[in-house]
Amino acid sequence: MNTDLKPQIQPDSFSFDGASEAEILTVLAKYPVERKASAVMPLLYIAQRQMSRLTGSAWVPVAAMDEIAQRLEMPAIRVYEVSSFYTMFNTKPVGRYHLQVCTTTPCWLRGSDDIVEACKRTTGIAALGGTSDDGQFTLTQVECLGACSNAPILQVDDDFYEDMDGPRTVALIEALRRGERPPAGPAINRSGSAPEGGRKTLIDTVHSISENK
């Protein structure tokens, strides 16, 4: 089991492709010219998505951070600080599928330990932060993902898989390994964060005022 992907040399240069440039134009239009540094997070995300699209690994190399700093006319160290502070940005290569398990209290109480163990057992990853030998999966521990009502949560790349347990996690990983992408969202019979099986209150037919006259 690898604790990291095979060593990769940071690319010497980075340039945004056409698809990314179109996104950047839309993003920069939201900010006054003198405040364009505020676009640093969107541009980091665009760079990470481009790396995923082109290499299969969603991460932000230093060359991309430098390009963003130049584009936004801000010190490169400021871009480094942002990218290293937020867990949504990966500053080193990750597997094709980034498994991010929330272990904060609500998810832990609902069984996040079972999800972690299922991820390790199914991928062969020995410890959090590791990557599988085939380079397909990276397993990361994250803090609250903000979907506590549907805990426990397993985030795969940008998708939330909710109401998970051990067997559901194994089934999801096996599907991903086959190249399938199961629909994100609740894994049980619920709509959004509504109760399982449908609503339990306000189920009587509501009559209009005219019908009651």
Side-chain angles (χ1 to χ4, degrees), residues 2-208:
N2 294 331
T3 56
D4 198 352
L5 290 181
K6 292 179 181 179
Q8 291 196 17
I9 299 174
Q10 289 274 346
D12 294 328
S13 62
F14 176 92
S15 60
F16 288 106
D17 61 16
S20 294
E21 288 289 1
E23 288 187 74
I24 291 172
L25 285 175
T26 300
V27 168
L28 291 181
K30 300 177 182 180
Y31 302 95
V33 175
E34 66 275 13
R35 293 287 184 268
K36 62 183 178 181
S38 299
V40 61
M41 291 182 66
L43 264 63
L44 282 167
Y45 193 51
I46 291 171
Q48 181 163 280
R49 283 209 309 267
Q50 177 174 311
M51 290 294 294
S52 176
R53 187 169 63 248
L54 298 181
T55 71
S57 180
W59 68 296
V60 188
V62 174
M65 300 181 207
D66 292 340
E67 172 65 21
I68 291 170
Q70 182 176 0
R71 184 73 62 94
L72 299 181
E73 298 180 346
M74 60 189 298
I77 185 61
R78 300 303 183 199
V79 183
Y80 303 161
E81 289 171 344
V82 173
S83 65
S84 61
F85 180 81
Y86 293 98
T87 57
M88 63 184 284
F89 302 122
N90 304 311
T91 55
K92 63 181 181 180
V94 295
R96 179 181 179 188
Y97 300 108
H98 191 187
L99 309 176
Q100 302 156 82
V101 185
C102 177
T103 58
T104 310
T105 305
C107 282
W108 176 71
L109 290 171
R110 295 278 292 171
S112 64
D113 286 350
D114 294 336
I115 297 175
V116 172
E117 289 308 310
C119 287
K120 291 179 179 178
R121 184 173 67 254
T122 310
T123 63
I125 298 172
L128 291 165
T131 296
S132 59
D133 286 333
D134 60 8
Q136 290 291 295
F137 301 96
T138 294
L139 178 60
T140 303
Q141 179 183 28
V142 296
E143 295 301 324
C144 184
L145 293 172
C148 305
S149 61
N150 292 20
I153 307 298
L154 171 59
Q155 182 179 352
V156 181
D157 303 328
D158 294 329
D159 293 330
F160 276 23
Y161 290 89
E162 307 162 1
D163 302 298
M164 298 296 283
D165 60 16
R168 292 174 187 140
T169 299
V170 171
L172 172 60
I173 293 174
E174 290 177 343
L176 294 172
R177 184 174 278 124
R178 293 192 300 268
E180 302 170 7
R181 190 77 177 206
I188 60 176
N189 180 25
R190 74 155 93 206
S191 176
S193 58
E196 183 176 4
R199 64 183 184 180
K200 302 296 190 293
T201 60
L202 301 176
I203 57 177
D204 293 334
T205 301
V206 178
H207 299 286
S208 65

